[in-house]
Amino acid sequence: MVCRSDRAKIPAFSASGDYDAVVIGGGFFGCKIALYLKEHLDRVLIVEREADLLQRASYTNQARVHNGYHYPRSLLTALRSSVNFPRFVEEYRDCIDNTFDKYYAIARVFSKVNASQFQIFCQRIGIPIEPAKNEISSLFNPALIEAVFKTQEYAFDAVKLKQKIREELEREKIEIWLNTCVDKVQETTSGKIKVLIRETESERCLRTRYLFNCTYSQISQILKASDLPTIPLKYEFAEMALVDVPPELKSIGITVMCGPFFSLMPFPPRGLHTLSHVRYTPHYYWQESENLTIKAHEAYSQIRKQTNFPFSIRDTIRYLPIAAECEYIDSLWGVKTVLPQSEVDDSRPILFKQNPKLPNLYCVLGGKIDNIYDIPRELNGLHLIEGV
Amino acid sequence: MERSDCFVSVIAPVQNDARIVKPFVEEVMAVLRQSFTNYELVLVNDGSTDDTSVVVSSLLRDYECIRLISLSRSFGADVAISSGLDSVIGDFVVVMIPESDPPQLIPELIETARNGKDIVIGIRRDRNDEPVWMKAGANLFYWLCRKLFKIPLIQNSTQFRVLSRQVVNAITQVRDKSRYLRLLGAYVGYSSQTFTYDFIYRYRHRRLKGVVELFDNAVQIIVVNSVRPLRFASYLGLFASILNVLYIVYIALVYLLKERVAEGWITV
């Protein structure tokens, strides 16, 4: 396990080393959960492996705030997205980039939805849709694209989001340990959970009543190391190509629906666009079982990172000829965790699982950034108890 | 050998080819890996009834850059290849039939295409493996196409060919229902070149089409691609009406000029 430990940054041990709740993983979900917990509990700590918050899945991603357009084949998912969208946009207004126009194009062949179905679907769930102006639709190849629609969807700036979240955490006086990895966790006789923290040479430990595992692609790793029942998950090693687009595409985002197509979305932190492709973005995938867990972090550093950009751009040019002028800059790489179908149903699009052997340990995993609004309901059901 | 820096897509329709698809894929992938920096192989399952799709599915796990398109039923090789053309992303596209076309020729053909030929068309050297009646039928068909129907079909040309991206884009824009690709290639224009090659035989006995199917094919090609049969019918009709008019004139003259005409002969 790679563990970049930096002693100086770790704050001094709190008096007793005891916490009401410890959240492992300082991504967007981990931070938000810590904030929710702080409303009920006194001493909350976030432990993050990286040198800063929101570095992994919250950053190396499409930066899309979904408004439902993506799910023409699941009305309920779409409706839920369209409900969460205004909440997220309102709460994180400063981190939202709404300066670009978002277009959804419908492919003629291999698409699971056609133009009129898509339009009716959008009207039904009440999200804005209108035919694109000629200057936009003429950018597409009419032999392969049936129709282009202007929609309302935004991107978030993960760097601004990080700053905002950090301010919130500071305001609420939530402790954060960076450059710190959790090795394993143990049950203690007093009913608390002992968290063992590994540093370069020594080990430390602390105790907590509640533990939240929000480590996304590392969820099973900690459970496995602690000899706890794991949740077999599927992982994808994914690449997002960062490209500099020609002026005509600078202020727009494009998604082609609904099948093996591409998406060209603005990526605000770098002033570039991400090019993702249903067929070429996932490079590898692996499925865990009860007995087999793969260290996603090690896999990440070992897998050969050879870009699929030559593939994805060629397919993109067929639909959008002007994309030939895109210049490849570099790629964002990341391990994505695929939510197991058994955990997801229409009423709860997240994984929120109590560990059967260690009841105060919860594993939380969300697919999209706005799924965060599905978390409080689960937390409220827990009846958290304070006190040491 | 230096790998040439271009993206090559190979399309191969498969139908009930479970026995030969594995060696075919092995050979194609070996050639592609050795010769090109980027490549993909698109297999189109044309409604196979054997376990072709099972064999291909396991190949998908073993090799990188292979894709499978499954048609809902059997539509014939031309439609299968067309659906492949709708999906491939390469700068150059090789179309080949697994049963008979040798993958070893691919690099050479791509080189020809890169030197400025947008369509490189394969021609089989001989038809010695076919029965006499089939050879005679083929010759007659090509003769008719050439002389009578003026269809620009190259004698003994096969599906084995290389198309540039421009040609593929042009072909995919044609939305005709009948798709006879050997002619669509000619229809879209662009510079072309032929090459002659020998069939390889992955099956001990080549699977030949039945006489009825071949005849149907021939009629279809002629009817769809030539206006001549229609024109012949029109001219025949025109000729018959002219004869009729002449006959009417003759009768009118008889009535006017002759005195003793048999009663009832001129009335209708």
PDB file of all heavy atoms in Angstrom, chain A residues 68 107 113 211 262 268 275 287:
ATOM      1  N   GLY A  68     -31.120  14.785 -15.610  1.00  0.00           N
ATOM      2  CA  GLY A  68     -32.072  13.760 -16.009  1.00  0.00           C
ATOM      3  C   GLY A  68     -31.983  13.332 -17.461  1.00  0.00           C
ATOM      4  O   GLY A  68     -32.427  12.254 -17.824  1.00  0.00           O
ATOM      5  N   ALA A 107     -28.377   9.861 -32.055  1.00  0.00           N
ATOM      6  CA  ALA A 107     -27.778   9.140 -33.178  1.00  0.00           C
ATOM      7  C   ALA A 107     -28.843   8.393 -33.970  1.00  0.00           C
ATOM      8  O   ALA A 107     -29.888   8.008 -33.440  1.00  0.00           O
ATOM      9  CB  ALA A 107     -26.726   8.168 -32.665  1.00  0.00           C
ATOM     10  N   VAL A 113     -32.724   5.205 -28.379  1.00  0.00           N
ATOM     11  CA  VAL A 113     -33.831   6.155 -28.275  1.00  0.00           C
ATOM     12  C   VAL A 113     -33.818   6.990 -29.553  1.00  0.00           C
ATOM     13  O   VAL A 113     -32.758   7.244 -30.129  1.00  0.00           O
ATOM     14  CB  VAL A 113     -33.667   7.027 -26.999  1.00  0.00           C
ATOM     15  CG1 VAL A 113     -32.377   7.795 -27.007  1.00  0.00           C
ATOM     16  CG2 VAL A 113     -34.829   7.986 -26.823  1.00  0.00           C
ATOM     17  N   LEU A 211     -18.096   4.616  12.268  1.00  0.00           N
ATOM     18  CA  LEU A 211     -17.083   4.695  11.226  1.00  0.00           C
ATOM     19  C   LEU A 211     -17.777   4.651   9.863  1.00  0.00           C
ATOM     20  O   LEU A 211     -18.617   3.781   9.612  1.00  0.00           O
ATOM     21  CB  LEU A 211     -16.106   3.524  11.369  1.00  0.00           C
ATOM     22  CG  LEU A 211     -14.942   3.533  10.372  1.00  0.00           C
ATOM     23  CD1 LEU A 211     -14.030   4.727  10.613  1.00  0.00           C
ATOM     24  CD2 LEU A 211     -14.141   2.239  10.479  1.00  0.00           C
ATOM     25  N   PHE A 262     -20.321   9.236 -27.641  1.00  0.00           N
ATOM     26  CA  PHE A 262     -19.332  10.030 -26.912  1.00  0.00           C
ATOM     27  C   PHE A 262     -19.964  11.232 -26.228  1.00  0.00           C
ATOM     28  O   PHE A 262     -21.141  11.549 -26.452  1.00  0.00           O
ATOM     29  CB  PHE A 262     -18.246  10.527 -27.871  1.00  0.00           C
ATOM     30  CG  PHE A 262     -18.755  11.552 -28.853  1.00  0.00           C
ATOM     31  CD1 PHE A 262     -18.683  12.902 -28.559  1.00  0.00           C
ATOM     32  CD2 PHE A 262     -19.326  11.169 -30.052  1.00  0.00           C
ATOM     33  CE1 PHE A 262     -19.169  13.854 -29.445  1.00  0.00           C
ATOM     34  CE2 PHE A 262     -19.807  12.108 -30.946  1.00  0.00           C
ATOM     35  CZ  PHE A 262     -19.736  13.450 -30.647  1.00  0.00           C
ATOM     36  N   PRO A 268     -14.142  22.667 -16.243  1.00  0.00           N
ATOM     37  CA  PRO A 268     -13.800  24.013 -15.787  1.00  0.00           C
ATOM     38  C   PRO A 268     -12.430  24.162 -15.116  1.00  0.00           C
ATOM     39  O   PRO A 268     -11.747  25.155 -15.390  1.00  0.00           O
ATOM     40  CB  PRO A 268     -14.941  24.350 -14.817  1.00  0.00           C
ATOM     41  CG  PRO A 268     -16.079  23.515 -15.276  1.00  0.00           C
ATOM     42  CD  PRO A 268     -15.472  22.246 -15.781  1.00  0.00           C
ATOM     43  N   LEU A 275     -13.195  14.420 -23.213  1.00  0.00           N
ATOM     44  CA  LEU A 275     -13.822  13.573 -24.225  1.00  0.00           C
ATOM     45  C   LEU A 275     -13.944  12.184 -23.623  1.00  0.00           C
ATOM     46  O   LEU A 275     -12.940  11.544 -23.303  1.00  0.00           O
ATOM     47  CB  LEU A 275     -12.970  13.525 -25.500  1.00  0.00           C
ATOM     48  CG  LEU A 275     -13.477  12.567 -26.582  1.00  0.00           C
ATOM     49  CD1 LEU A 275     -14.830  13.010 -27.111  1.00  0.00           C
ATOM     50  CD2 LEU A 275     -12.488  12.477 -27.741  1.00  0.00           C
ATOM     51  N   GLN A 287     -14.098  -7.727 -11.490  1.00  0.00           N
ATOM     52  CA  GLN A 287     -15.207  -8.005 -10.579  1.00  0.00           C
ATOM     53  C   GLN A 287     -14.652  -8.697  -9.340  1.00  0.00           C
ATOM     54  O   GLN A 287     -13.943  -9.692  -9.453  1.00  0.00           O
ATOM     55  CB  GLN A 287     -16.226  -8.914 -11.282  1.00  0.00           C
ATOM     56  CG  GLN A 287     -17.319  -9.479 -10.389  1.00  0.00           C
ATOM     57  CD  GLN A 287     -18.388  -8.453 -10.050  1.00  0.00           C
ATOM     58  OE1 GLN A 287     -18.945  -7.819 -10.937  1.00  0.00           O
ATOM     59  NE2 GLN A 287     -18.653  -8.268  -8.777  1.00  0.00           N
TER      60      GLN A 287
END
